[in-house]
Amino acid sequence: MKRVLVTGGAGFIGSHLCERLMARGDEVLCVDNFFTSRRQNIVHLRDNPLFEFMRHDITWPLYVEVDQIYNLACPASPVHYQFDPVQTTKTCVHGAINMLGLAKRLKVRILQSSTSEVYGDPAQHPQTESYWGNVNPIGPRACYDEAKRCAETLFFDYYRQHNMQIRVVRIFNTYGPRMHPNDGRVVSNFIVQALKGEPITLYGTGNQSRSFCYVDDLVTGMIAMMDQDELVGPVNLGNPGEFTILELATLVKELTGSSSEIVYQPLPQDDPVRRRPDISLAKAKLHWEPTIPLRDGLARTVAFFRELLAAG
């Protein structure tokens, strides 16, 4: 049994990670400040003796005793991270410094949840871990893109300077139950609009592409990365299946039985046109690849949102 700290543990991905760690017998200390996360995500865990919650903002130091650290804390959707861009940068950078300092004091392994956004609007397709990216450092998305890049820099500098046990994963578009209904991400947007019978909003032509990884697959990859002793990272974690946004909207309409019309809006500044991970490294070193097809994962996600909306 390990005592594991999960920052951002009440978030969409964090809550699934907490659940999985507890299912295998680990004690979990879930730390969150509820800036974008929801109490409902962890309410079913509260009475489990393996679960402990602490409300805390990781831009401030944290003094606890744990055996492993997963650092997931940060708003991850454009709507949320652009709401307070300075705080977003602080969460990524100050948060990384504080969590790395904690891991250094405790001499424990720490995993950083980085993002495919470090690749920006990529000139390489699909994206490999060796690609340095194409990021606008002063655009509206930079508070997230560049802050996550800086966090990676900090992790590798601590690794080289202090010989720390770091792990870095780059998470590509992930979806599933417990997504925030108002986070502005394409999957939750489309499903909520379809279930409400509202127009489904496509930005750009709809021909831009994304790769969608179901949250259960992602959590399996994160734990596999943390538990192995060979690979430091960064490692891409995502589903290499590539779909256009229009294909996603059409599939959501089918699964919801919605008659919503599809409307088009201008593409936001610096929004990537194509995004697909090369997961050769994860397959070779972690023996990991996604197993849940988009249709199956979306059906589960639609069921979650249908119940959420019905409850008001």
Side-chain angles (χ1 to χ4, degrees), residues 92-94 96-97 100 149-159:
C92 289
V93 177
H94 292 185
I97 291 169
L100 284 162
R149 286 162 68 95
C150 183
E152 286 196 16
T153 300
L154 286 162
F155 266 72
F156 277 88
D157 283 339
Y158 269 77
Y159 169 67

Side-chain angles (χ1 to χ4, degrees), residues 272-283:
V273 175
R274 299 186 76 187
R275 183 65 63 68
R276 176 162 70 92
D278 182 314
I279 62 168
S280 302
L281 184 59
K283 289 169 72 173

Side-chain angles (χ1 to χ4, degrees), residues 64-80:
V64 294
E65 304 298 319
V66 294
D67 303 307
Q68 285 183 342
I69 302 170
Y70 287 83
N71 185 37
L72 278 69
C74 186
S77 73
V79 168
H80 290 153

Side-chain angles (χ1 to χ4, degrees), residues 7 13 41 76 83 96 100 107 117 128-129 135 148 160 169 174 213 270 280 286 297 301:
T7 72
I13 295 173
N41 291 342
F83 173 76
L100 284 162
K107 297 181 174 62
E117 299 297 337
T128 62
E129 290 87 352
V135 175
K148 284 288 191 179
R160 287 183 287 259
V169 297
T174 302
C213 185
D270 301 330
S280 302
L286 305 180
T301 310

Side-chain angles (χ1 to χ4, degrees), residues 13-289:
I13 295 173
S15 62
H16 285 276
L17 176 61
C18 290
E19 201 170 52
R20 186 79 65 84
L21 292 169
M22 291 163 58
R24 72 176 192 177
D26 290 336
E27 291 184 1
V28 170
L29 173 58
C30 170
V31 169
D32 210 299
N33 68 349
F34 292 125
F35 179 63
T36 59
S37 55
R38 309 170 76 230
R39 288 177 178 82
Q40 295 95 312
N41 291 342
I42 56 171
V43 68
H44 64 294
L45 304 176
R46 288 184 310 180
D47 295 330
N48 190 315
L50 297 176
F51 183 75
E52 180 182 352
F53 175 75
M54 177 186 296
R55 185 162 185 167
H56 181 80
D57 184 333
I58 65 163
T59 60
W60 297 93
L62 180 63
Y63 302 100
V64 294
E65 304 298 319
V66 294
D67 303 307
Q68 285 183 342
I69 302 170
Y70 287 83
N71 185 37
L72 278 69
C74 186
S77 73
V79 168
H80 290 153
Y81 66 63
Q82 291 175 16
F83 173 76
D84 189 344
V86 172
Q87 185 63 25
T88 296
T89 301
K90 285 181 177 180
T91 301
C92 289
V93 177
H94 292 185
I97 291 169
N98 288 329
M99 291 305 104
L100 284 162
L102 177 63
K104 178 172 176 279
R105 178 178 71 81
L106 297 175
K107 297 181 174 62
V108 301
R109 186 172 294 176
I110 178 170
L111 181 143
Q112 166 69 2
S113 62
S114 191
T115 171
S116 61
E117 299 297 337
V118 301
Y119 299 122
D121 189 5
Q124 180 192 95
H125 191 80
Q127 293 80 57
T128 62
E129 290 87 352
S130 61
Y131 177 52
W132 290 358
N134 176 38
V135 175
N136 176 2
I138 59 170
R141 300 171 68 97
C143 61
Y144 185 70
D145 302 359
E146 293 287 42
K148 284 288 191 179
R149 286 162 68 95
C150 183
E152 286 196 16
T153 300
L154 286 162
F155 266 72
F156 277 88
D157 283 339
Y158 269 77
Y159 169 67
R160 287 183 287 259
Q161 187 172 341
H162 301 296
N163 196 32
M164 283 180 53
Q165 295 186 60
I166 68 161
R167 300 290 183 267
V168 177
V169 297
R170 290 174 176 166
I171 298 172
F172 282 67
N173 289 60
T174 302
Y175 71 99
R178 301 184 204 145
M179 294 184 80
H180 197 294
N182 301 315
D183 68 3
R185 297 190 208 188
V186 64
V187 171
S188 50
N189 264 10
F190 285 2
I191 292 175
V192 170
Q193 288 170 341
L195 289 174
K196 289 183 174 180
E198 299 172 351
I200 295 176
T201 308
L202 259 68
Y203 293 96
T205 63
N207 291 322
Q208 66 270 36
S209 69
R210 293 292 186 273
S211 302
F212 301 101
C213 185
Y214 190 68
V215 64
D216 287 358
D217 282 333
L218 176 72
V219 167
T220 299
M222 294 178 73
I223 293 175
M225 182 63 174
M226 177 65 100
D227 286 352
Q228 54 81 44
D229 296 322
E230 177 185 356
L231 191 60
V232 170
V235 175
N236 289 337
L237 294 182
N239 194 319
E242 187 175 2
F243 298 85
T244 69
I245 301 302
L246 181 57
E247 286 175 325
L248 176 70
T250 303
L251 184 53
V252 167
K253 282 190 63 175
E254 176 190 336
L255 292 172
T256 56
S258 174
S259 58
S260 295
E261 63 172 327
I262 296 175
V263 298
Y264 294 84
Q265 299 287 343
L267 194 67
Q269 181 183 340
D270 301 330
D271 198 54
V273 175
R274 299 186 76 187
R275 183 65 63 68
R276 176 162 70 92
D278 182 314
I279 62 168
S280 302
L281 184 59
K283 289 169 72 173
K285 298 296 186 179
L286 305 180
H287 309 293
W288 174 88
E289 61 182 313

